[in-house]
Amino acid sequence: MITSMISNGAIKVFLADDSLQIRQRVNALLSTAEMDVVGEAATPQTCIEGILGTLPDVVVLDHQLEGGTGLEVLKAVRSADPSVAFVVFSNNAAPAYRKRYLSEGATRFLDKSSEFDQLAAAVASAGRRAVH
């Protein structure tokens, strides 16, 4: 059971990406899929603070952030709250990156350039598995 879901049943999502355009595009996509974006940030520190402050069900996480990487965010948040699910959505989709993020606890790893159409389904699937 997902107890952090808000009253309308929507999955709470936090967007962690250094690109405002990507955050806006993902926000628009997820809002049509009955998901609520509860926060967004572009740097590792503001991502960590925002995620721990809003307790989303799922974080959509880019590898490249302003001044650091998504891996920093994933590790910090997972150590503080392992119930938060992560869907990595990045242009850095080399097999080594995929393997590393998945081994650190990410639920899915999607390539921005070729798997945008799978993002809403991946977030929904991760949100159904999240337990707070």
Side-chain angles (χ1 to χ4, degrees):
M1 181 171 102
I2 303 171
T3 57
S4 67
M5 291 175 65
I6 58 178
S7 61
N8 67 3
I11 294 171
K12 291 173 26 178
V13 182
F14 191 94
L15 305 180
D17 198 298
D18 62 330
S19 169
L20 176 60
Q21 290 177 327
I22 293 293
R23 292 194 315 265
Q24 289 172 336
R25 188 172 172 207
V26 171
N27 195 333
L29 171 75
L30 298 181
S31 66
T32 64
E34 297 184 11
M35 298 178 204
D36 286 332
V37 175
V38 296
E40 57 183 65
T43 69
Q45 188 59 41
T46 56
C47 288
I48 294 165
E49 292 168 3
I51 293 164
L52 295 177
T54 59
L55 298 176
D57 301 303
V58 182
V59 175
V60 175
L61 179 67
D62 189 11
H63 168 70
Q64 186 62 47
L65 298 173
E66 291 177 19
T69 70
L71 197 55
E72 298 169 53
V73 175
L74 176 66
K75 288 179 176 183
V77 172
R78 298 273 305 155
S79 69
D81 185 353
S83 69
V84 177
F86 284 82
V87 173
V88 181
F89 186 56
S90 181
N91 283 323
N92 298 314
Y97 284 118
R98 286 180 187 266
K99 183 177 179 181
R100 182 71 189 272
Y101 276 93
L102 294 172
S103 72
E104 292 289 345
T107 304
R108 290 281 305 271
F109 191 113
L110 300 174
D111 185 340
K112 282 183 186 175
S113 64
S114 63
E115 298 176 303
F116 186 82
D117 61 331
Q118 297 175 36
L119 183 59
V123 171
S125 177
R128 284 192 296 272
R129 287 186 249 164
V131 178
H132 287 289

